[in-house]
Amino acid sequence: MQVVLKVGVCNEQLGNNLPSNQEVVQLYKSNGIQRMRMYAPNPQVLQALRGSDIELVLDVPKRDLQHLAIDAPAAAKWVQDNVLNYYLDVKFQIIAIGNEVNPNHGQPTAHLAPFVLLAMSKIYDAIASTGLKDEIKVSTATYSVFLSNSYPPSLGSFKGASSPFLYKNLFDAMLDATDSALEKAGRPKVKIVVSESRWPSAGGPAASVENAGTCYRNLINHVKGESPKTPGRAIETYLFAMFDENQKTGAQSEKHFGLFSPNKQPKYQLSFDQVSTIKNSMK
């Protein structure tokens, strides 16, 4: 059985020395990178993606959540402006709502938690009204800080308000809203995408080109294989990010996550267009 590698790269672009959008898209194509994640709509990037065949995960940024959650016409306009205007030439795969909203008390994004499901529902309805609900999925992006225990995976658990936020407010409610036939008893068979994985090449402890390259190569080798829950299917994964970003705020390491330098030179030798052959071990 052959499994196509599903590794993409996040395209954030918080820098003042980066290539043009056309050059960025060409760099994706020339390196066999067939998937992109964008953290907010950018008309210039969307225009550059026309006809490229690059599959796209597009985020609804946190600043828009409350407005879209309470205003269905605004959600419909968001879909029209940022999806439908490009749909015939751009391969939208997922619209991700509310990147890394943390519902736990005291967190700076906790106040946004009640709006995530509502915004997801409004965007889903807008997409469904166009007949594209089977082609463009609606989701959200969580992160590892939600976990109180992550190993072994069978004993994984969420901390504090994260569990009801994910299971009651998002998984169950969205499955009901979309009339999904997925199992509700036990764990629903929800498709999981690793929407961001990263290691810095400079700016902090253990941050080096050697360590980052090792991390990315090992990750690619891991996700291209067969997992127990997804036989015959690679794990869709996005590396962060395409370029070093000299305008990124926070720790110094935040400026050094690029797979490429702003001059388009690669930091690492990575292969994005692999096809794996997996032996069928089922009796």
Side-chain angles (χ1 to χ4, degrees), residues 151-199:
Y151 189 84
S154 59
L155 297 179
S157 59
F158 296 104
K159 66 177 67 169
S162 303
S163 183
F165 173 69
L166 290 173
Y167 283 105
K168 297 298 182 183
N169 292 348
L170 295 183
F171 289 164
D172 286 351
M174 277 304 289
L175 290 176
D176 286 335
T178 58
D179 296 323
S180 174
L182 299 176
E183 296 275 343
K184 297 283 182 61
R187 291 177 175 267
K189 297 177 182 178
V190 177
K191 178 184 176 182
I192 300 297
V193 174
V194 180
S195 60
E196 183 179 308
S197 187
R198 59 185 188 165
W199 195 288

Side-chain angles (χ1 to χ4, degrees), residues 240-256:
F240 183 94
M242 195 66 174
F243 299 103
D244 285 345
E245 300 170 289
N246 64 358
Q247 294 181 317
K248 192 78 178 283
T249 59
Q252 185 63 25
S253 60
E254 293 290 336
K255 302 178 188 292
H256 300 282

Side-chain angles (χ1 to χ4, degrees), residues 76-98:
K77 185 177 187 305
W78 193 98
V79 170
Q80 178 65 53
D81 291 347
N82 301 301
V83 179
L84 299 183
N85 284 352
Y86 304 93
Y87 167 72
L88 293 179
D89 303 307
V90 177
K91 289 190 171 182
F92 293 93
Q93 299 296 305
I94 299 172
I95 307 300
I97 287 97

Side-chain angles (χ1 to χ4, degrees), residues 55-253:
E55 297 181 359
L56 181 64
V57 175
L58 177 62
D59 281 27
V60 173
K62 290 190 283 285
R63 63 177 180 268
D64 294 338
L65 286 181
Q66 185 171 354
H67 180 51
L68 297 180
I70 62 177
D71 190 339
K77 185 177 187 305
W78 193 98
V79 170
Q80 178 65 53
D81 291 347
N82 301 301
V83 179
L84 299 183
N85 284 352
Y86 304 93
Y87 167 72
L88 293 179
D89 303 307
V90 177
K91 289 190 171 182
F92 293 93
Q93 299 296 305
I94 299 172
I95 307 300
I97 287 97
N99 180 44
E100 297 182 357
V101 170
N102 190 335
N104 288 295
H105 180 71
Q107 296 299 316
T109 57
H111 68 289
L112 294 174
F115 301 114
V116 174
L117 174 62
L118 293 172
M120 289 176 69
S121 298
K122 296 291 194 304
I123 294 294
Y124 173 83
D125 289 345
I127 291 173
S129 71
T130 69
L132 297 176
K133 65 183 179 66
D134 293 329
E135 297 180 46
I136 303 174
K137 304 303 180 183
V138 175
S139 186
T140 188
T142 65
Y143 62 137
S144 58
V145 73
F146 285 4
L147 296 171
S148 59
N149 182 58
S150 60
Y151 189 84
S154 59
L155 297 179
S157 59
F158 296 104
K159 66 177 67 169
S162 303
S163 183
F165 173 69
L166 290 173
Y167 283 105
K168 297 298 182 183
N169 292 348
L170 295 183
F171 289 164
D172 286 351
M174 277 304 289
L175 290 176
D176 286 335
T178 58
D179 296 323
S180 174
L182 299 176
E183 296 275 343
K184 297 283 182 61
R187 291 177 175 267
K189 297 177 182 178
V190 177
K191 178 184 176 182
I192 300 297
V193 174
V194 180
S195 60
E196 183 179 308
S197 187
R198 59 185 188 165
W199 195 288
S201 60
S208 68
V209 171
E210 181 180 6
N211 287 346
T214 298
C215 171
Y216 290 134
R217 282 188 290 271
N218 287 345
L219 176 61
I220 289 171
N221 286 333
H222 177 72
V223 300
K224 73 180 180 182
E226 182 178 32
S227 73
K229 293 294 185 180
T230 58
R233 190 176 71 200
I235 303 169
E236 188 171 343
T237 302
Y238 292 79
L239 308 184
F240 183 94
M242 195 66 174
F243 299 103
D244 285 345
E245 300 170 289
N246 64 358
Q247 294 181 317
K248 192 78 178 283
T249 59
Q252 185 63 25
S253 60

Side-chain angles (χ1 to χ4, degrees), residues 247-281:
Q247 294 181 317
K248 192 78 178 283
T249 59
Q252 185 63 25
S253 60
E254 293 290 336
K255 302 178 188 292
H256 300 282
F257 282 105
L259 303 185
F260 295 83
S261 299
N263 63 4
K264 301 189 290 186
Q265 293 303 306
K267 290 188 194 174
Y268 322 107
Q269 296 300 314
L270 303 176
S271 179
F272 293 91
D273 54 359
Q274 302 173 16
V275 176
S276 301
T277 301
I278 295 177
K279 295 181 179 179
N280 188 346
S281 60

